[in-house]
Amino acid sequence: MPPVEHAGSNEGLDETPHGLANRVAQQLSVIYAGGELTPAMHALAVDLLKAMRLDDDMPQPNPYLNHWDQRDALMITYGDSIQQEGQAPLQTLKHWLDHHADGCITGVHILPFCPWSSDDGFSVIDYLQVNEALGDWDDILAIGAKYTLMGDLVINHCSSASQWFANFLNNEEPGKDYFATASPKDDLSLVVRPRTSPLLREVEAIDGTRHVWCTFSHDQVDLNFRNPEVLKRMVEIVRHYLDNGVRIFRLDAVAFLWKKPGTSSLNLRKTHEIVRLLRTLIEHARGDAMIITETNIPNQENLSYFGNGNEAHCVYNFSLPPLLLNTLVTGDCFYLKQWMMSMPPPQHGTAYFNFIASHDGIGLRPAEGLLSDEELQTLISTMRRFGGHVSYRALEDGQNKPYEINIALMDALQGTVAGPDEYGLQRFICAHAIMLGLEGIPGIYVHSLLGTRNDLERLEATGQNRAINRHQWQLEELERQLADPGSEHAQVFHGIKELLAIRQNQSAFHPNATQFTLHLGSTLFGFWRQSSDRRQSIFCISNVSDKAESLQLSDINLIEAQDWSDLISGEDCNKQQMLLEPYQTVWISNRRDHR
């Protein structure tokens, strides 16, 4: 992503009055020494700078620099989502990107590509190796040389099959004190987690019985960041990833990082300070490197990971998927509009990462406090009718609560609360048109880009709910589908590509351009975008219902002295009203920018 300077200056920024080592030592003191700047913190800071190959006299990067613009869009994919016999999947992925997505996709998030033992990659055995079933570091480098590469730093936990864990059990280094433990007698009643399995796993170590902390599964053992050696190891891994082309670090499940019995062990102060520390090290190592936090939690907690422009460059817009899905299956944008009006505009140097489908499910925690219990139950029931499944999390009282809906987005949008209908394709394209117009950087899951439906065979074979949306395409079959104009997959792919092509040329679609929510009733969802130079305005309006709706152009106050047209259809908008067909989106602009 090319750096784009906003209209401003570096005035007030601290260049290097104290040196980078001292700044890092101050951050470490918050984590490990109660805020006291001790010699041990200085020594640890020097070790971290050495691991990252940083000099003490490096200047402070400008935190208000945008590393993105409207041309940027990322595709989210597993390394083996597209396969060809006889070829490493990472090579097949690059081949497909080069031949089909070059020009519309500027970046790619390759989901965990290290050797793993469970959770489709999120239980890492060795952070410094590429899973040989996918390819090697040369394949990662080749993708990163052409596309902005996002990689997962699975920072909260690693595999029980790792050498670190074997060493932990044998009281050997590295690994001796690398994993979080607790006593069953500790007060763990307030701990928040997204699973229903027991939090503690009993293991027999060489020095006796231990109870290791497992936020997610008993194969995913939480790392012990109370031990500074674990932090040093993670920093070494970050440096290795930078050397191999990773430019965006997705901090997986980072909200759970610091554990403290008697608390929720979620979003603790020291967790935020570790994010700040990683930001300091990463942005000094590479001016174009970024952090994005993966925090599938309620909306306000999620937003806290922006910090004061000193934590994540981007946060996932986790509330968008359930709210947009609810809007399109009910035909009522009330809740989506209410949420939009509450969202603060990110300051320069930060941005929302917008997505509406992912390798996981459609999270329900980010909808807490935004959708009523009745709305959530209606949404869950509708998704079950469309072939979806529901995953649960445990509550303090021992009850289980729906945590996420597992379904392919193409199937999730096949109808409304009244049942399936003939508008599935239009509804699906509408969802993406809304996302692509919003402030923020878009991330499109590969199976949304390709219009992939529920993979029931994979679901049955694995017994894992999330497998329903983790199909693996054979390249030959995918090519055949995309070459057929009548194929649903081709229609989805080319429909989204056309929207991306339009978006890339409009300055009002810069991720940090002004955005205001419009009030057009319950069935017309709209918002206004304006470029930073105020030369371009775009009114993004979607009919979210299955009935044609009339848009009174006087309701959006188009300036009469300017010519207005729909960027998508090319239709002239210098008239009193427009008729929007079911799920039609218009991007009404006073100019069509071209680069």
Side-chain angles (χ1 to χ4, degrees):
M1 296 183 180
V4 180
E5 195 78 57
H6 77 106
S9 70
N10 293 342
E11 185 177 355
L13 290 180
D14 179 2
E15 282 302 312
T16 50
H18 307 298
L20 179 57
N22 194 65
R23 289 200 293 274
V24 171
Q26 289 174 337
Q27 292 176 303
L28 289 167
S29 73
V30 174
I31 302 167
Y32 294 115
E36 183 180 355
L37 200 57
T38 65
M41 296 301 98
H42 279 286
L44 180 56
V46 170
D47 286 347
L48 295 184
L49 263 59
K50 187 179 297 183
M52 288 290 283
R53 301 199 294 274
L54 298 176
D55 297 323
D56 183 50
D57 59 355
M58 299 186 75
Q60 173 72 31
N62 181 358
Y64 307 118
L65 183 68
N66 294 326
H67 299 289
W68 46 78
D69 65 21
Q70 63 273 16
R71 292 168 292 181
D72 291 305
L74 275 72
M75 185 178 82
I76 304 163
T77 182
Y78 280 101
D80 57 0
S81 291
I82 304 174
Q83 303 179 4
Q84 183 176 31
E85 188 175 351
Q87 186 177 51
L90 288 172
Q91 295 174 13
T92 305
L93 174 61
K94 184 174 185 301
H95 168 88
W96 186 86
L97 286 166
D98 290 348
H99 287 80
H100 293 278
D102 190 21
C104 71
I105 294 296
T106 59
V108 58
H109 171 202
I110 304 177
L111 290 154
F113 47 74
C114 297
W116 55 276
S117 57
S118 64
D119 199 16
D120 280 359
F122 286 94
S123 187
V124 177
I125 292 175
D126 187 342
Y127 290 90
L128 299 179
Q129 300 297 322
V130 174
N131 182 358
E132 62 181 13
L134 299 178
D136 55 29
W137 283 115
D138 286 342
D139 299 322
I140 295 291
L141 275 165
I143 293 173
K146 187 166 184 179
Y147 304 93
T148 302
L149 180 59
M150 184 194 295
D152 288 279
L153 188 65
V154 185
I155 193 170
N156 179 71
H157 51 263
C158 81
S159 172
S160 65
S162 66
Q163 188 60 51
W164 286 357
F165 193 67
N167 290 351
F168 167 82
L169 296 177
N170 289 315
N171 202 28
E172 297 175 353
E173 296 288 7
K176 180 179 178 181
D177 190 29
Y178 277 25
F179 295 90
T181 61
S183 167
K185 297 180 182 179
D186 289 337
D187 179 9
L188 304 175
S189 62
L190 298 178
V191 173
V192 174
R193 50 196 296 265
R195 298 292 185 271
T196 57
S197 57
L199 174 64
L200 299 183
R201 172 190 171 188
E202 183 178 304
V203 296
E204 294 302 323
I206 196 170
D207 55 352
T209 301
R210 310 285 291 277
H211 293 87
V212 292
W213 192 297
C214 301
T215 296
F216 291 90
S217 78
H218 283 187
D219 182 50
Q220 295 165 290
V221 188
D222 287 32
L223 292 163
N224 176 26
F225 277 86
R226 293 177 181 275
N227 178 3
E229 289 298 316
V230 173
L231 178 62
K232 286 169 66 174
R233 287 287 180 178
M234 277 295 159
V235 170
E236 291 168 358
I237 291 163
V238 166
R239 180 69 259 181
H240 185 72
Y241 287 5
L242 281 169
D243 291 342
N244 284 280
V246 174
R247 294 294 173 262
I248 305 176
F249 289 84
R250 177 184 182 271
L251 304 187
D252 177 64
V254 69
F256 303 94
L257 197 67
W258 198 271
K259 284 80 177 157
K260 185 178 180 181
T263 74
S264 66
S265 295
L266 183 71
N267 307 319
L268 298 187
R269 182 189 177 193
K270 294 186 178 184
T271 293
H272 281 280
E273 195 63 43
I274 289 174
V275 175
R276 294 186 191 109
L277 173 64
L278 291 173
R279 162 90 179 239
T280 298
L281 295 172
I282 288 171
E283 68 182 1
H284 278 84
R286 287 278 318 200
D288 59 349
M290 297 161 49
I291 283 177
I292 179 169
T293 47
E294 190 269 331
T295 48
N296 191 359
I297 50 181
N299 192 51
Q300 291 304 312
E301 296 174 39
N302 183 38
L303 294 178
S304 72
Y305 283 87
F306 277 138
N308 186 26
N310 58 355
E311 292 189 37
H313 295 86
C314 300
V315 299
Y316 277 79
N317 221 344
F318 272 110
S319 296
L320 178 61
L323 291 176
L324 182 53
L325 179 60
N326 179 75
T327 293
L328 290 168
V329 299
T330 63
D332 187 339
C333 65
F334 173 80
Y335 292 101
L336 180 63
K337 186 166 60 176
Q338 192 175 49
W339 166 74
M340 282 266 291
M341 290 188 292
S342 73
M343 292 294 281
Q347 62 181 304
H348 283 285
T350 64
Y352 294 117
F353 186 71
N354 293 327
F355 73 109
I356 51 178
S358 75
H359 61 290
D360 290 338
I362 297 166
L364 297 177
R365 285 213 74 204
E368 291 178 7
L370 301 174
L371 290 177
S372 67
D373 288 344
E374 183 180 356
E375 290 283 334
L376 283 170
Q377 286 306 313
T378 299
L379 182 61
I380 289 170
S381 297
T382 304
M383 293 303 102
R384 281 185 164 137
R385 288 166 61 195
F386 293 167
H389 291 249
V390 178
S391 296
Y392 292 84
R393 66 183 181 95
L395 300 179
E396 298 172 23
D397 59 6
Q399 299 295 309
N400 292 338
K401 185 175 183 179
Y403 173 70
E404 68 182 15
I405 300 169
N406 305 109
I407 192 171
L409 189 63
M410 195 71 186
D411 278 295
L413 292 172
Q414 65 181 273
T416 68
V417 292
D421 60 25
E422 70 271 28
Y423 294 115
L425 178 60
Q426 294 92 325
R427 194 178 289 112
F428 189 82
I429 295 297
C430 177
H432 287 85
I434 290 173
M435 180 187 74
L436 292 175
L438 290 172
E439 63 180 345
I441 302 165
I444 306 176
Y445 186 40
V446 61
H447 293 306
S448 292
L449 190 61
L450 301 175
T452 311
R453 290 193 174 269
N454 290 338
D455 190 335
L456 300 179
E457 291 184 8
R458 190 171 176 85
L459 171 67
E460 184 177 355
T462 64
Q464 301 295 319
N465 284 351
R466 288 176 168 178
I468 198 171
N469 196 23
R470 296 180 180 179
H471 182 69
Q472 293 177 319
W473 279 98
Q474 293 302 311
L475 180 62
E476 184 178 356
E477 172 61 15
L478 178 57
E479 298 275 15
R480 188 181 69 79
Q481 290 287 343
L482 295 182
D484 177 4
S487 161
E488 184 176 66
H489 303 290
Q491 293 176 53
V492 166
F493 181 59
H494 294 297
I496 295 176
K497 279 187 70 174
E498 288 176 9
L499 293 173
L500 283 167
I502 296 170
R503 180 185 189 277
Q504 290 175 336
N505 291 321
Q506 315 309 319
S507 55
F509 280 149
H510 187 286
N512 296 89
T514 298
Q515 175 174 294
F516 285 104
T517 307
L518 302 176
H519 299 276
L520 302 171
S522 62
T523 56
L524 293 179
F525 174 67
F527 50 95
W528 171 64
R529 304 295 309 279
Q530 185 183 58
S531 60
S532 60
D533 61 8
R534 300 186 179 182
R535 295 177 62 191
Q536 185 185 34
S537 288
I538 303 177
F539 292 89
C540 306
I541 302 168
S542 298
N543 178 3
V544 298
S545 77
D546 58 3
K547 303 289 190 300
E549 295 285 344
S550 178
L551 168 64
Q552 301 298 321
L553 293 176
S554 59
D555 290 344
I556 58 176
N557 298 319
L558 301 182
I559 299 173
E560 293 184 4
Q562 298 179 346
D563 288 328
W564 297 87
S565 63
D566 174 20
L567 296 173
I568 298 175
S569 68
E571 182 179 352
D572 174 48
C573 299
N574 296 294
K575 48 191 175 183
Q576 291 186 343
Q577 66 180 23
M578 296 181 69
L579 185 67
L580 299 190
E581 297 298 329
Y583 306 106
Q584 181 182 351
T585 295
V586 290
W587 288 343
I588 300 173
S589 179
N590 59 338
R591 58 183 289 172
R592 180 181 286 269
D593 282 357
H594 297 282
R595 284 186 174 268

